[in-house]
Amino acid sequence: MSATFSITVEPERDLVRIAMAGLFTPEDIRDFYEARRAAHAKLTCGRNAHLTINDLRGMKIQPQESVAEFQQMLGAPEYRSRRLAFVIGRTLARSQLQRALGGRGSGPRCFDTVAEAEAWLFHGAIAGALRAAG
């Protein structure tokens, strides 16, 4: 299965929604980088103030070189999210994701469903806004 992805932005919620599926080649990853750049240009919040949810339930086990490229992508400071949630379920790809997240510390979280991921994303965003206002 070849790679597919979609990226949508909800500027009013400072939210980037990503869905990725299939097997990614270096060319697919370059295409993803460009789509991500274009999507982030639509955000109206400050740099790194957005939330991201990435649905990876359709991802296949990736070659090591793709995992390394994803790890580099996740480390790019200009695209870091305030909160980052992955929907991946209980697949073998989950362990690859956790390796790719190795340098990100305890920030990103993995969930089985989109509803769980959204609850975590928005609960943290609301709690942070209340602390900042209080």
Side-chain angles (χ1 to χ4, degrees):
M1 170 191 238
S2 61
T4 61
F5 64 86
S6 66
I7 305 174
T8 57
V9 178
E10 298 175 26
E12 68 282 358
R13 298 173 80 189
D14 301 331
L15 179 65
V16 178
R17 289 184 185 274
I18 301 170
M20 302 171 78
L23 188 64
F24 280 72
T25 65
E27 183 177 295
D28 295 322
I29 294 170
R30 283 190 299 276
D31 292 345
F32 178 85
Y33 281 169
E34 177 54 29
R36 179 184 65 174
R37 185 203 58 72
H40 278 244
K42 296 175 184 174
L43 290 169
T44 57
C45 59
R47 180 178 172 186
N48 305 116
H50 64 284
L51 306 170
T52 301
I53 185 167
N54 193 337
D55 187 342
L56 302 176
R57 290 176 291 181
M59 287 286 276
K60 302 293 182 193
I61 296 296
Q62 303 295 308
Q64 278 308 114
E65 39 299 338
S66 295
V67 173
E69 289 220 29
F70 285 129
Q71 188 170 25
Q72 182 178 3
M73 175 183 66
L74 288 163
E78 65 273 22
Y79 294 104
R80 280 207 178 194
S81 303
R82 178 169 37 127
R83 294 194 108 189
L84 174 59
F86 290 94
V87 181
I88 193 158
R90 303 282 174 196
T91 66
L92 290 175
R94 188 178 189 124
S95 62
Q96 280 193 325
L97 171 63
Q98 289 171 332
R99 278 198 312 276
L101 288 171
R104 289 287 302 255
S106 62
R109 298 271 309 268
C110 294
F111 300 92
D112 293 330
T113 69
V114 171
E116 291 170 333
E118 287 179 347
W120 177 76
L121 278 177
F122 292 113
H123 173 75
I126 291 167
L130 290 174
R131 279 193 301 276

